[in-house]
Amino acid sequence: MASERYFEILLSRSVSCVFGEGYSLVAQQLTLPSGRIDLLLQHCDGAKHVIEVKKDRAKSDAVDQVGRYVEDFKLQGAGIVHGWVVANEIPEQTDLYAAEKDIRTLAIPERDYAAIMTASGVSEEDLLGKRVQAGILIGGGVQSFPKNAVPLEDAITNLSADLRAYVVHQHSVGTFEFQSGKMQIAVIYKGVKIGGINRGHKHNFISSNIILDGADEAVLVNNGFVRVTKTQASSAHVHVYWKNKIDDVEALDNVLAHFSASIDRRLFSK
């Protein structure tokens, strides 16, 4: 039987076929205070659509789950937001409950996958490949450091005076969220991890998941960031990121401003 990940990729590659003309995929796996959005669509009328994907039968708690995501996303300034539960089966009780909560539902049984693949030109290889397509914003990877959390005031102790002052200011005005572990301070903007400060290896870094086109790369290059590709010894996973020296606060500020504006434009503009 196909996995939930397989189902999510199928939906992400078949947006117009499944949801109708006028819909487009803008992001996947966005982290919110209440959880992580599977798919975020935008309609040509400007409304955003939060999609919660469930394999097999959808229960009423899936409705509550996507309802929380909708409210969280609205609080970030998203404007009009609709929620959906998309599952292989939507029981009548769940469907009625969703209607009460103003959440939309869509049932797509596994037997329909082949027809959707044909209509969308999607191959089996596509569905077993990368979860996120090129050019689609992914917000996953936000770290909570549950076991190795370090208070921000302790994490910035050994930073340069300029970088320490920058972090303190940004934290105080609430522009970014900072989450600190033993070696890293992750920099998060509206649920998307932009990058961070690696105190152990003495560099600032930008995550590859938010670099969507050549213009983004040009901003990084112009601010002294270099692309790094690293393969983990314990797995075949290839880790890609961009880094710059830790004390170049001006460059860090420039790229954080660029990518926070990019996130606002892609996720919160009408």
Side-chain angles (χ1 to χ4, degrees), residues 22-226:
Y23 287 90
S24 59
L25 177 67
V26 293
Q28 286 180 251
Q29 299 295 307
L30 289 179
T31 303
L32 299 172
S34 57
R36 185 173 289 183
I37 296 174
D38 288 329
L39 303 173
L40 180 69
L41 310 183
Q42 178 161 320
H43 192 263
C44 57
D45 64 6
K48 299 296 192 300
H49 295 257
V50 173
I51 313 298
E52 177 61 24
V53 181
K54 294 295 183 186
K55 189 179 180 299
D56 301 325
R57 291 166 60 93
K59 299 178 181 178
S60 59
D61 58 359
V63 176
D64 293 330
Q65 182 181 0
V66 77
R68 291 192 296 270
Y69 296 169
V70 167
E71 293 307 311
D72 280 350
F73 203 51
K74 285 181 179 178
L75 289 174
Q76 292 183 340
I80 298 173
V81 185
H82 301 291
W84 295 66
V85 175
V86 181
N88 296 138
E89 183 182 351
I90 308 288
E92 183 179 3
Q93 183 178 359
T94 302
D95 198 34
L96 292 172
Y97 184 67
E100 291 175 2
K101 300 291 184 179
D102 199 26
I103 300 296
R104 304 177 186 189
T105 60
L106 179 62
I108 302 177
E110 282 198 39
R111 64 176 179 271
D112 290 350
Y113 288 6
I116 294 172
M117 291 169 66
T118 300
S120 301
V122 176
S123 69
E124 186 74 16
E125 185 178 15
D126 293 330
L127 302 183
L128 296 175
K130 291 184 178 180
R131 190 174 203 154
V132 181
Q133 306 170 66
I136 300 299
L137 183 67
I138 181 169
V142 174
Q143 296 162 280
S144 58
F145 303 110
K147 296 181 180 178
N148 301 310
V150 174
L152 184 60
E153 59 267 28
D154 295 337
I156 65 175
T157 300
N158 294 322
L159 299 180
S160 68
D162 286 346
L163 183 54
R164 189 166 61 246
Y166 177 77
V167 172
V168 169
H169 172 70
Q170 295 293 348
H171 177 68
S172 66
V173 298
T175 306
F176 302 106
E177 177 186 355
F178 296 90
Q179 294 181 356
S180 308
K182 286 184 177 180
M183 291 183 63
Q184 294 186 11
I185 302 172
V187 180
I188 300 154
Y189 182 76
K190 295 185 178 180
V192 181
K193 179 182 175 182
I194 297 181
I197 300 165
N198 190 313
R199 308 190 308 281
H201 293 108
K202 306 295 183 184
H203 63 248
N204 300 322
F205 65 93
I206 298 298
S207 302
S208 61
N209 59 286
I210 63 165
I211 301 166
L212 304 181
D213 53 37
D216 288 340
E217 292 189 358
V219 169
L220 290 165
V221 170
N222 291 339
N223 282 280
F225 282 75
V226 295

